Amino acid sequence: DAKTTQPTSMDCAEGRAANLPCNHSTISGNEYVYWYRQIHSQGPQYIIHGLKNNETNEMASLIITEDRKSSTLILPHATLRDTAVYYCIVRNDGGSQGNLIFGKGTKLSVKP
Amino acid sequence: GAVVSQHPSWVICKSGTSVKIECRSLDFQATTMFWYRQFPKQSLMLMATSNEGSKATYEQGVEKDKFLINHASLTLSTLTVTSAHPEDSSFYICSASWSSGNDEQFFGPGTRLTVL
């Protein structure tokens, strides 16, 4: 079973920031938080990952709480092409425990 | 970089026939490849993990004799759905990693299989 809890769906206005929350209250010390997204009928796309520090790249920012029990993915200026299902995954970067286990994700709809 | 392709992108076949799906890493050597299945409105489910030159490791509930996986080179893995039935209709997605699974997985675009 997935170790994360995400809202089923969210809406966001085009041009505004999209903040996608994720709860991972049972995360252990050596587990990373990964975010992927899947646009309809395509393969998943890696977005970002982090351990405990906040991370930023050209796609998004990842804010992880100090206790690491939750995180938020931020798309600073959402566009219509960001409409997708966003998956928050907790992953142990080691051996078979490093497999990605996908939950149901959050369906983000960016509206004009 | 890190591009993974799949072929075909979609396939329709008759019940009882076998279908082969290819997964290629185009610009890197993939030590490990993964095969996922995704039914409509559901999430991705890992089917099996394969390391180049070794037998694949199947997840619980996945029939290894029905879903044949061959990872003969560092850039190619194939999934053959044998004696396909309508319930095998699904979106099959592969991913590739250049290590034993500890590093980033790069996903292919998926293959839509429809069994009539």
Side-chain angles (χ1 to χ4, degrees):
Chain A
D1 291 337
K3 297 182 179 180
T4 63
T5 305
Q6 299 177 251
T8 303
S9 63
M10 291 182 65
D11 289 344
C12 177
E14 187 179 19
R16 305 296 293 267
N19 298 297
L20 292 92
C22 179
N23 286 326
H24 30 79
S25 58
T26 61
I27 193 170
S28 60
N30 56 354
E31 289 181 316
Y32 288 72
V33 180
Y34 277 75
W35 284 83
Y36 282 79
R37 73 180 182 184
Q38 186 179 25
I39 295 170
H40 183 62
S41 293
Q42 296 184 24
Q45 177 189 20
Y46 166 80
I47 302 174
I48 200 168
H49 76 281
L51 183 61
K52 46 185 175 180
N53 296 327
N54 297 338
E55 302 288 343
T56 296
N57 62 22
E58 65 278 4
M59 289 182 69
S61 294
L62 174 60
I63 308 299
I64 302 174
T65 58
E66 193 169 340
D67 63 8
R68 302 210 320 125
K69 292 186 177 182
S70 65
S71 61
T72 301
L73 178 75
I74 301 172
L75 307 179
H77 305 287
T79 70
L80 298 178
R81 286 180 293 182
D82 291 323
T83 292
V85 178
Y86 286 76
Y87 297 99
C88 170
I89 300 170
V90 166
R91 179 192 188 199
N92 185 326
D93 273 357
S96 62
Q97 297 177 8
N99 288 343
L100 293 171
I101 299 175
F102 287 82
K104 297 185 185 302
T106 296
K107 183 174 183 179
L108 175 68
S109 298
V110 181
K111 299 181 183 300
Chain B
V3 178
V4 176
S5 70
Q6 285 184 238
H7 178 79
S9 55
W10 59 271
V11 57
I12 301 173
C13 71
K14 292 182 179 180
S15 185
T17 60
S18 294
V19 175
K20 180 184 285 188
I21 302 170
E22 293 185 348
C23 176
R24 292 181 187 273
S25 56
L26 299 185
D27 52 1
F28 69 101
Q29 294 188 323
T31 303
T32 306
M33 286 186 168
F34 305 81
W35 286 96
Y36 296 80
R37 179 169 54 182
Q38 185 175 31
F39 292 108
K41 298 191 177 183
Q42 294 188 24
S43 192
L44 284 79
M45 296 295 294
L46 180 66
M47 299 175 67
T49 303
S50 73
N51 290 300
E52 184 263 339
S54 303
K55 289 186 178 180
T57 301
Y58 290 80
E59 295 298 302
Q60 191 172 9
V62 178
E63 300 174 58
K64 62 179 181 180
D65 294 330
K66 181 170 180 62
F67 298 99
L68 302 179
I69 293 172
N70 186 299
H71 190 167
S73 79
L74 285 171
T75 59
L76 173 65
S77 176
T78 60
L79 168 68
T80 301
V81 183
T82 62
S83 186
H85 289 96
E87 57 266 30
D88 298 322
S89 297
S90 188
F91 193 47
Y92 291 86
I93 306 169
C94 74
S95 70
S97 172
W98 51 54
S99 72
S100 59
N102 296 358
D103 284 324
E104 196 49 58
Q105 289 185 30
F106 301 96
F107 285 82
T111 297
R112 176 77 59 191
L113 170 63
T114 302
V115 185
L116 302 177

